[in-house]
Amino acid sequence: IVFGDWSSDVCSSDLAKKLSAASARLSRINEKLREISQAKSEFISIASHQLRTPLTSIKGYTSLILEKTFGIVPQRQEEALEKVLINNEKLVLLVEDMLNVSRLEAGRLEYDFERQPILPIVDDAVSNLKLYAKNKNLNLKLTKCRDAKNFYVIVDNRKIFEIISNLIDNAIKYTPKGEVTVKIEKIRHSQKIGKSDEAGVKTAEWVKVSVTDTGIGIEKKNLESIFEKYKQGGSLVGENTPASTGLGIYIGRQMAKEIGRAHV
């Protein structure tokens, strides 16, 4: 009778083969998932681009009609057209969000930084959402310090506009009554320069744009999770929660981080 550990060698060999086969299957599944994800992103990008042109046209013509360019509009028709414009603006934001998500996932979100005044960008964002606030009987107002028109920043115009628009849109969406206030002010901000312990601190004047509202708010424990893709704050989830993709805040944070890195 010969005693040995040949059985353990056989078992080890079988186990290695099974692990190798499982690893190969997992690799194929992961590759398939990557292909599906890429196809999804490409579809979203193409669909979003195709939606852009008609939405821009709808917005332009509806605005012209409301401005009485083509003649007097009866009040009931004007109210209906305002709703068209409001929902069109929501779709424009949604399309931009979908495009930006697909670009972020593909690493193709580009930035075009230039020095420009911040006031016109914020003013445009507020103006675009005035009708939405009016339709909800909310007071949307812009407050600014006396020399706000002289505040210049180095930013990507379109990206900052989208960040601010999404914040205002969210504020209106989750405010049942009261008001939404957009504020531009100058602050002094201290920032550490470098990562070493000996790194210095630079204090400079910054422009702060804030959006506040009289809405339902967000619990402190949920403040981080709302910046995740497709997430809403836990306190917002319920039967009366407004429809939301959970993309705007996520995209805004990614853009803000990139803009912030450009200024370090």
Side-chain angles (χ1 to χ4, degrees), residues 22-200:
S23 178
R25 282 197 302 272
L26 184 59
S27 180
R28 288 194 296 272
I29 291 169
N30 283 333
E31 183 59 33
K32 190 67 177 176
L33 287 173
R34 277 192 291 271
E35 290 175 4
I36 293 170
S37 178
Q38 184 177 351
K40 177 207 71 175
S41 294
E42 288 175 358
F43 169 77
I44 289 173
S45 181
I46 292 168
S48 300
H49 274 297
Q50 293 299 318
L51 283 169
R52 256 181 168 180
T53 302
L55 286 174
T56 302
S57 181
I58 291 168
K59 179 179 179 179
Y61 280 111
T62 307
S63 297
L64 288 172
I65 294 170
L66 285 171
E67 289 166 5
K68 313 294 192 300
T69 303
F70 302 118
I72 301 299
V73 180
Q75 186 176 349
R76 288 185 64 187
Q77 290 183 22
E78 187 173 325
E79 290 170 358
L81 285 167
E82 285 180 351
K83 287 182 170 62
V84 170
L85 198 57
I86 289 165
N87 285 294
N88 187 80
E89 194 59 40
K90 288 181 182 178
L91 278 174
V92 169
L93 281 174
L94 177 58
V95 166
E96 288 297 331
D97 284 347
M98 290 193 299
L99 271 172
N100 286 324
V101 165
S102 64
R103 288 168 182 156
L104 278 169
E105 291 176 344
R108 292 187 288 105
L109 190 60
E110 298 177 352
Y111 296 82
D112 182 19
F113 294 105
E114 60 178 305
R115 187 175 183 272
Q116 55 198 300
I118 189 66
L119 181 56
I121 301 173
V122 179
D123 201 26
D124 283 349
V126 172
S127 297
N128 274 9
L129 291 160
K130 276 279 188 185
L131 272 179
Y132 181 22
K134 176 187 170 186
N135 192 250
K136 287 193 66 178
N137 295 316
L138 298 174
N139 179 29
L140 173 59
K141 62 180 181 180
L142 171 61
T143 64
K144 53 188 183 292
C145 50
R146 187 178 302 170
D147 55 343
K149 64 181 179 181
N150 299 318
F151 292 171
Y152 279 75
V153 291
I154 300 173
V155 293
D156 182 306
N157 184 310
R158 187 65 202 173
K159 302 298 188 299
I160 285 292
F161 174 82
E162 288 173 26
I163 292 170
I164 296 168
S165 294
N166 268 309
L167 289 173
I168 298 171
D169 179 70
N170 264 25
I172 296 171
K173 188 180 297 177
Y174 296 109
T175 301
K177 60 180 180 179
E179 64 182 24
V180 175
T181 303
V182 183
K183 186 176 182 180
I184 304 175
E185 58 188 317
K186 186 188 294 183
I187 62 170
R188 292 191 66 77
H189 177 74
S190 297
Q191 183 176 8
K192 187 177 180 182
I193 307 300
K195 297 181 179 180
S196 66
D197 294 335
E198 292 79 26

